[in-house]
Amino acid sequence: MKASLQAKMGQSMTLTPQLLQSIRLLQVSSLQLEQELQLVLERNPLLEQESDEEEAALAGEGDSAALEAAAWDELPEPMFLSGGSYTGDMDEDATTRIAAGESSDPRQRLLQQLQLRCNAHDMAMAAWWLDCCDDRGYLEGEPTELARQGAAQLRDALPEVDAESLMAVRQRLLLDGDWPGMAAADPRECLLAQLRALPASDTRTLALRMVGEQLDALARHDLAAIAERLGASAADLSAAVSLVLSLQPHPVEQPPEPEPAFIVPDVIAWRAGGGWQVRLNTRSAPRLRLCAHAEQASGHAGMRGLLDEARWLLRSLGIRNETLLKTARALVTRQQAFLEQGEEAIAPLTLKEVAEEIGVHESTVSRITTGKYIQTPRGTLELKRLFAVRLEGAEVSGAAIKAMVRRLIEDEPAHAPLADEVIAAMLARQGIRVARRTVAKYREQLSIAPARMRRREQAPAPMARLG
């Protein structure tokens, strides 16, 4: 091989430590920013904290902050994490090139697994069964009746489908994938499917008998009766009970409840003078400025670096505050109906629409709204809460439809609860066309039981007294 030299021309942008700091300040929450600024005050003697009477000094930096934002506004999201360089189109957001992670929807993940070993015919039937499951993985009806309904509904797309073939596919779902017991009719069937997925052993055999024959006694913790009926020793029964207790009570594992956390709003919005006012919550982080003798330190070689660091930090804070305020004002303007009328009035809104309105890149809006909160008369909300996805085929957002579903269920007669199909039909009469599965999904997200479990007997009318 022959070595050779080639000249090549190109453009690149190297992220300096100062630029990395500016980008990072956009993303930190108010509590994180307060902790970081306290550390900076202790480390840099050329910075000092402003008093409450000098609050107006920060407001005059808005115009210069807007000009400084152009230096890094279009940077791709992932590059600042490594401190590397970026070449290519400055208008391109590199986050769009990141491969999406595995879906959090267990239905989609299970269907992806089944694609490797099922044909299109079986996949269609599996998708139908999964559509009949709630978020825990249980069927929303009796299996035989659902199989009969499925055979009738799928006959146009799959002429050869019948109830027997649908039941065979359900059996595969029960024993296949990462969620044994998917599409189970009840907890007994779910536990039996999980046990059959475990390696064979004497303990598993006893656990299968116990769940299949003595589940009611197990629920009552009547171990003596179980041991007598199954003819098992106390030690063997204890091992089988421990095995059953290690199983999931439902096929799909639910995410853990988030720990309570204290929230400090970054922005405050209130209605005054016939309109909405928005301002930053300056009490959430200390306000900094250069100390009186900072300019004198420029002539000292050892202090010049600290002075440059202090100036850049103040510019970065100005950019952060200006971008946060502009974004919050745009969100409040777009979602006035939501703030005044409630959930059903929330309008569809995307990051791109807000970015175009305030003149920044979409990734910048994503950074500045992450982990930030706004205090409103409707409560303290995350800024991300003011974005809403437009439901396909409708002019309203999914969050608004969820609120409508909750209102319809709250107003339903106690003795005649509304089924998901009825709710979908009522929304259709209002010009909002959604599928039954969509209504069921929103109902489950609201932790509302199906119609058959919400039914309450109507109290008899009092009899008139005879005079």
Side-chain angles (χ1 to χ4, degrees), residues 245-326:
L245 293 178
S246 68
L247 304 176
Q248 293 292 336
H250 36 70
V252 180
E253 183 177 359
Q254 298 297 308
E257 291 292 334
E259 295 183 1
F262 297 100
I263 296 176
V264 178
D266 302 84
V267 188
I268 300 174
W270 71 100
R271 188 172 179 81
W276 284 88
Q277 307 296 324
V278 182
R279 70 171 177 85
L280 296 178
N281 181 17
T282 53
R283 297 181 181 275
S284 61
R287 299 181 297 276
L288 307 184
R289 68 177 181 183
L290 290 175
C291 62
H293 59 276
E295 297 300 332
Q296 303 175 3
S298 59
H300 191 280
M303 301 294 289
R304 193 176 298 118
L306 292 176
L307 180 60
D308 292 340
E309 177 187 349
R311 287 173 173 170
W312 185 271
L313 177 63
L314 294 179
R315 285 198 299 270
S316 300
L317 289 175
I319 293 170
R320 180 188 188 274
N321 294 335
E322 176 72 12
T323 307
L324 179 58
L325 185 59
K326 288 166 59 178

Side-chain angles (χ1 to χ4, degrees), residues 27 92 109 127 179 228 283 316 339 370 375 402 404 440 450:
Q27 300 183 135
E92 180 186 2
R109 294 170 62 181
W179 299 278
E228 181 180 355
R283 297 181 181 275
S316 300
L339 296 175
T370 300
Q375 180 179 315
K402 183 190 295 186
M404 296 177 189

Side-chain angles (χ1 to χ4, degrees), residues 105 107 134-135 254 398-399 401-403 405-406 437-449:
D105 187 352
R107 300 179 181 89
D134 59 21
D135 284 346
Q254 298 297 308
I401 295 179
K402 183 190 295 186
V405 171
R406 176 169 53 192
R437 178 64 244 173
T438 304
V439 174
K441 179 183 70 173
Y442 289 154
R443 174 179 54 74
E444 292 162 4
Q445 291 176 358
L446 294 169
S447 300
I448 298 176

Side-chain angles (χ1 to χ4, degrees), residues 113-128:
Q113 295 177 9
L114 293 175
Q115 282 179 346
L116 302 176
R117 48 189 180 273
C118 292
N119 54 37
H121 181 273
D122 291 347
M123 285 291 297
M125 291 189 288
W128 189 88

Side-chain angles (χ1 to χ4, degrees), residues 92-108:
E92 180 186 2
D93 183 7
T95 57
T96 61
R97 302 194 302 269
I98 300 177
E102 193 174 24
S103 173
S104 59
D105 187 352
R107 300 179 181 89
Q108 296 299 325

